[in-house]
Coordinates of all heavy atoms in Angstrom, one line a residue:
V753 N 0.8 -1.2 0.0 CA 0.0 0.0 0.0 C 0.9 1.2 0.0 O 0.6 2.2 -0.6 CB -0.9 0.0 1.2 CG1 -1.7 1.3 1.3 CG2 -1.9 -1.2 1.2
F754 N 2.0 1.2 0.7 CA 2.9 2.4 0.8 C 3.4 2.7 -0.6 O 3.6 3.9 -0.9 CB 4.0 2.1 1.8 CG 3.4 1.8 3.2 CD1 3.7 0.6 3.8 CD2 2.6 2.7 3.9 CE1 3.2 0.2 5.0 CE2 2.1 2.4 5.1 CZ 2.4 1.1 5.7
K755 N 3.8 1.7 -1.4 CA 4.3 2.0 -2.7 C 3.2 2.6 -3.6 O 3.4 3.5 -4.4 CB 4.9 0.8 -3.4 CG 6.2 0.4 -2.7 CD 6.8 -0.8 -3.4 CE 8.1 -1.2 -2.8 NZ 8.6 -2.5 -3.4
T756 N 2.0 2.1 -3.4 CA 0.8 2.6 -4.2 C 0.6 4.1 -4.0 O 0.3 4.8 -4.9 CB -0.4 1.8 -3.9 OG1 -0.2 0.4 -4.1 CG2 -1.6 2.2 -4.7
I757 N 0.7 4.5 -2.7 CA 0.4 5.9 -2.4 C 1.7 6.8 -2.5 O 1.6 7.9 -2.2 CB -0.3 6.1 -1.1 CG1 0.5 5.5 0.1 CG2 -1.7 5.5 -1.2 CD1 -0.1 5.7 1.4
G758 N 2.8 6.2 -2.9 CA 4.0 6.9 -3.1 C 4.9 7.1 -1.9 O 5.8 7.9 -1.9
M759 N 4.6 6.4 -0.8 CA 5.5 6.4 0.3 C 6.4 5.2 0.3 O 6.0 4.1 0.0 CB 4.6 6.4 1.6 CG 3.8 7.6 1.8 SD 2.9 7.5 3.4 CE 1.8 8.8 3.2
K760 N 7.7 5.5 0.7 CA 8.7 4.4 0.7 C 9.2 4.2 2.0 O 9.4 5.1 2.8 CB 9.8 4.8 -0.3 CG 9.4 4.9 -1.7 CD 10.6 5.3 -2.5 CE 10.2 5.5 -4.0 NZ 11.3 5.9 -4.8
G761 N 9.5 2.9 2.3 CA 10.2 2.5 3.5 C 9.6 2.9 4.8 O 8.4 3.0 5.0
W762 N 10.5 3.0 5.8 CA 10.0 3.2 7.2 C 9.3 4.5 7.4 O 8.4 4.7 8.2 CB 11.2 3.0 8.2 CG 12.2 4.0 8.0 CD1 13.3 4.0 7.2 CD2 12.3 5.3 8.7 NE1 14.1 5.1 7.4 CE2 13.4 6.0 8.3 CE3 11.5 5.9 9.6 CZ2 13.8 7.2 8.7 CZ3 11.8 7.2 10.0 CH2 13.0 7.8 9.6
L763 N 9.7 5.6 6.7 CA 9.1 6.9 6.8 C 7.6 6.8 6.4 O 6.8 7.4 7.1 CB 9.9 7.9 6.0 CG 9.3 9.4 6.1 CD1 9.4 9.8 7.6 CD2 10.1 10.3 5.2
G764 N 7.3 6.2 5.3 CA 5.9 6.1 4.9 C 5.1 5.3 5.9 O 4.0 5.6 6.2
C765 N 5.7 4.2 6.4 CA 5.0 3.4 7.4 C 4.8 4.2 8.7 O 3.7 4.1 9.2 CB 5.9 2.2 7.7 SG 5.1 1.0 8.8
L766 N 5.8 5.0 9.1 CA 5.7 5.8 10.3 C 4.6 6.8 10.1 O 3.7 7.0 11.0 CB 7.0 6.4 10.6 CG 7.1 7.2 11.9 CD1 6.9 6.2 13.1 CD2 8.5 7.8 12.0
I767 N 4.6 7.5 9.0 CA 3.5 8.5 8.7 C 2.1 7.9 8.7 O 1.2 8.4 9.3 CB 3.8 9.3 7.4 CG1 5.1 10.1 7.6 CG2 2.7 10.1 7.0 CD1 5.6 10.7 6.3
S768 N 2.0 6.8 8.1 CA 0.7 6.1 8.0 C 0.3 5.6 9.4 O -0.9 5.8 9.7 CB 0.8 4.8 7.1 OG 1.1 5.2 5.8
L769 N 1.2 5.1 10.2 CA 0.8 4.7 11.6 C 0.4 5.9 12.4 O -0.6 5.9 13.2 CB 1.9 4.0 12.2 CG 2.2 2.6 11.7 CD1 3.4 2.0 12.4 CD2 1.0 1.7 12.0
F770 N 1.1 7.1 12.2 CA 0.7 8.3 13.0 C -0.7 8.7 12.6 O -1.5 9.1 13.4 CB 1.8 9.4 12.6 CG 1.5 10.7 13.3 CD1 1.7 10.8 14.7 CD2 1.0 11.8 12.6 CE1 1.5 12.0 15.3 CE2 0.8 13.0 13.2 CZ 1.0 13.1 14.6
I771 N -1.0 8.7 11.3 CA -2.3 9.1 10.8 C -3.4 8.2 11.4 O -4.4 8.6 11.8 CB -2.4 9.2 9.3 CG1 -1.5 10.4 8.8 CG2 -3.8 9.3 8.8 CD1 -1.3 10.4 7.3
L772 N -3.1 6.9 11.4 CA -4.0 5.9 11.9 C -4.3 6.1 13.4 O -5.4 6.1 13.8 CB -3.4 4.5 11.7 CG -4.3 3.3 12.3 CD1 -5.5 3.2 11.5 CD2 -3.5 2.0 12.3
F773 N -3.2 6.4 14.2 CA -3.4 6.7 15.6 C -4.2 8.0 15.8 O -5.1 8.0 16.7 CB -2.1 6.8 16.3 CG -1.5 5.4 16.6 CD1 -0.2 5.2 16.2 CD2 -2.2 4.4 17.1 CE1 0.4 3.9 16.4 CE2 -1.6 3.1 17.4 CZ -0.3 2.9 17.0
I774 N -4.0 9.0 15.0 CA -4.8 10.2 15.1 C -6.3 9.9 14.9 O -7.1 10.4 15.6 CB -4.3 11.3 14.1 CG1 -2.8 11.7 14.4 CG2 -5.2 12.5 14.1 CD1 -2.7 12.7 15.5
V775 N -6.6 9.2 13.8 CA -8.0 8.9 13.5 C -8.6 8.0 14.6 O -9.7 8.3 15.0 CB -8.0 8.2 12.1 CG1 -9.4 7.6 11.8 CG2 -7.6 9.2 11.0
L776 N -7.9 7.0 15.0 CA -8.5 6.1 16.1 C -8.7 6.9 17.4 O -9.7 6.7 18.1 CB -7.6 4.9 16.3 CG -7.6 3.9 15.2 CD1 -6.6 2.8 15.5 CD2 -9.0 3.3 15.1
G777 N -7.7 7.8 17.7 CA -7.9 8.6 18.9 C -9.1 9.5 18.8 O -9.8 9.7 19.8
A778 N -9.3 10.1 17.6 CA -10.5 11.0 17.5 C -11.8 10.2 17.6 O -12.7 10.6 18.2 CB -10.4 11.7 16.1
V779 N -11.8 9.0 17.0 CA -13.0 8.1 17.1 C -13.3 7.8 18.6 O -14.4 7.9 19.0 CB -12.8 6.9 16.2 CG1 -13.9 5.8 16.5 CG2 -12.9 7.3 14.8
F780 N -12.2 7.4 19.3 CA -12.4 7.0 20.7 C -12.8 8.2 21.6 O -13.6 8.1 22.5 CB -11.2 6.3 21.3 CG -11.1 4.9 20.8 CD1 -9.9 4.5 20.1 CD2 -12.1 3.9 21.0 CE1 -9.8 3.1 19.7 CE2 -12.0 2.6 20.6 CZ -10.8 2.2 19.9
W781 N -12.3 9.3 21.3 CA -12.6 10.6 22.0 C -14.0 10.9 21.8 O -14.7 11.3 22.8 CB -11.6 11.7 21.6 CG -11.9 13.0 22.3 CD1 -11.5 13.3 23.6 CD2 -12.4 14.2 21.7 NE1 -11.9 14.6 23.9 CE2 -12.4 15.1 22.8 CE3 -13.0 14.5 20.5 CZ2 -13.0 16.4 22.6 CZ3 -13.5 15.8 20.3 CH2 -13.5 16.7 21.3
I782 N -14.5 10.9 20.6 CA -15.9 11.2 20.3 C -16.8 10.2 20.9 O -17.9 10.5 21.5 CB -16.1 11.3 18.7 CG1 -15.4 12.5 18.2 CG2 -17.6 11.3 18.4 CD1 -15.4 12.6 16.7
G783 N -16.4 8.9 20.9 CA -17.2 7.9 21.6 C -17.3 8.1 23.1 O -18.3 7.8 23.7

């Protein structure tokens, strides 16, 4: 998936995980 969206290596993975945690945090906070 990271290659598909143009992200490479550990940096792309790290950015994706950060975004995932932000989204999940917002969902749990609203809940």
Side-chain angles (χ1 to χ4, degrees):
V753 173
F754 304 116
K755 287 182 182 177
T756 301
I757 59 177
M759 294 185 190
K760 293 182 183 177
W762 64 270
L763 181 61
C765 185
L766 187 64
I767 291 170
S768 298
L769 287 174
F770 180 74
I771 292 170
L772 177 69
F773 284 129
I774 297 276
V775 170
L776 287 176
V779 167
F780 284 122
W781 182 72
I782 291 170

